[in-house]
Amino acid sequence: MSPTDPAQPRHDWTLAEVEGLFARPFMELVFEAASTHRRWFDPSEIQKAQLLSIKTGGCAENCGYCSQSAHFRTGVKAEKLMDAEAVLAEARAARDGGADRFCMGAAWRELKDRDTPRLTAMIAGVKALGLETCATLGMLTADQARQLKAAGLDFYNHNLDTGPEYYAEVVTTRTYQDRLDTLDHVRAAGMKTCCGGIVGMGESRRDRAGLLHALATLPVHPDSLPVNALAPVAGTPLGDRAGASPTIDPIEFVRTVAVARLVCPRSVVRLSAGRESMSVETQALCFLAGANSIFVGGKLLTAPNAGEDADTALFAQLDLRPMIADREDAAA
Ligand code: SAM
Ligand code: DTB
Ligand code: SF4
């Protein structure tokens, strides 16, 4: 196909165009997103990824949603970086439970060089188990990114979180450009990117469009695109403001997934945080609108997740099958 083929992903979206997609009649939007989804993916296949918090709490950043920031009293205790052996035991259990990708998350502002050898050992060990490897460790230098890639890291997660105009309402200890710089280093090292954001933080639809516009105009679209619904955490600024109620209208959430599918047609779009409190019907609409990945297991990093039994029932009810990672591609 030629680079100008209209079926090919575009990188020249304007914010007005993305806002225009959000404003489409809902039925048209979902139909178009479902049609695009079928062009690139089998709509019955859903990827299963599993998370592990390898270093919990005590983070220097002040992300207003996060249970692990040292700036807020949330009841999450700061812990040390886990040993590689303990991480590998969890990875083996995740693989045996049906996960395909294992994502190691650390509550760090940035990776410190003194921790890199322990990380590279973990990554090599998880890779040797036959899992796709992913990590989310905060900011990386170009050299650190190369070291992680050499150890066998397939994906790096680093979210833009929200649109550029709303960003300073969410976090002030780093800039949008800091995030973009780390994503540049990840791509330059030859790793795939996992990059998305959170909805339900009090942002406007324009901010949600701003997030998806930022993702769709990256030099390379994210390989994985997580769409999180704010999981409100008491003691954080955004959690306290939200209270215990759901923070985003389910139909607006589905719209966000549909627009993500349309502007980043080849990305694997993941229903991430907040899925636990979504009905089967909302999840089904999300899968119809182009979501094709979930986090499995009873826990995300610190927040609860829909457990194995609920997801086995979900897959059976909706006739879904696990997506099998392309091993050769993952190893490339
Ligand atoms: N410290 C690293 C960082 O921020 O990049 C890695 C871990 S961080 C917890 C990974 C992502 O999880 C965040 O960028 C955010 O998008 C998402 N996240 C964290 N807490 C959340 C919450 N309470 N609700 C929804 N998403 C959340
Ligand atoms: C992403 O976008 N969502 C995941 C993963 N990337 C690292 C994390 C969700 C965290 C939810 C809150 C918690 O477990 O503390
Ligand atoms: Fe730290 Fe990541 Fe939480 Fe922000 S989201 S406070 S960087 S762990």
Side-chain angles (χ1 to χ4, degrees), residues 98-315:
D100 225 38
R101 183 180 305 179
F102 191 68
C103 180
M104 293 159 271
W108 284 327
R109 173 178 161 76
E110 73 265 301
L111 176 61
K112 299 271 190 324
D113 284 337
R114 64 166 185 267
D115 291 319
T116 307
R118 187 122 47 111
L119 259 302
T120 50
M122 283 176 199
I123 290 163
V126 173
K127 184 88 180 158
L129 293 173
L131 285 156
E132 281 189 325
T133 54
C134 179
T136 180
L137 315 167
M139 292 185 236
L140 295 183
T141 64
D143 188 49
Q144 288 170 334
R146 283 191 289 270
Q147 290 181 55
L148 298 182
K149 166 72 181 168
L153 192 62
D154 299 312
F155 290 81
Y156 196 76
N157 166 256
H158 205 62
N159 289 343
L160 293 179
D161 279 346
T162 190
E165 288 174 11
Y166 196 66
Y167 196 71
E169 302 290 319
V170 176
V171 50
T172 58
T173 51
R174 60 167 187 251
T175 64
Y176 220 64
Q177 191 58 48
D178 289 331
R179 297 302 267 189
L180 293 168
D181 290 347
T182 290
L183 290 166
D184 283 347
H185 297 152
V186 169
R187 277 194 307 272
M191 284 185 283
K192 295 178 187 171
T193 54
C194 171
C195 183
I198 309 178
V199 297
M201 298 192 293
E203 77 286 345
S204 63
R205 181 181 272 183
R206 185 180 161 84
D207 296 317
R208 289 188 279 281
L211 167 68
L212 295 180
H213 174 254
L215 297 173
T217 53
L218 286 170
V220 180
H221 287 171
D223 297 277
S224 288
L225 196 166
V227 184
N228 296 275
L230 177 69
V233 177
T236 62
L238 295 171
D240 287 345
R241 194 162 81 190
S245 47
T247 57
I248 183 98
D249 166 58
I251 296 297
E252 184 67 11
F253 188 85
V254 177
R255 261 185 216 276
T256 309
V257 168
V259 177
R261 169 53 65 223
L262 287 170
V263 297
C264 293
R266 302 194 67 175
S267 302
V268 172
V269 176
R270 181 176 306 122
L271 293 190
S272 303
R275 192 171 67 85
E276 193 217 9
S277 37
M278 278 175 207
S279 68
V280 170
E281 294 88 328
T282 300
Q283 293 182 63
L285 267 177
C286 288
F287 296 137
L288 184 64
N292 56 352
S293 175
I294 58 171
F295 281 123
V296 295
K299 202 170 170 194
L300 294 168
L301 293 171
T302 66
N305 188 33
E308 197 182 330
D309 293 351
D311 285 337
T312 302
L314 181 78
F315 272 54

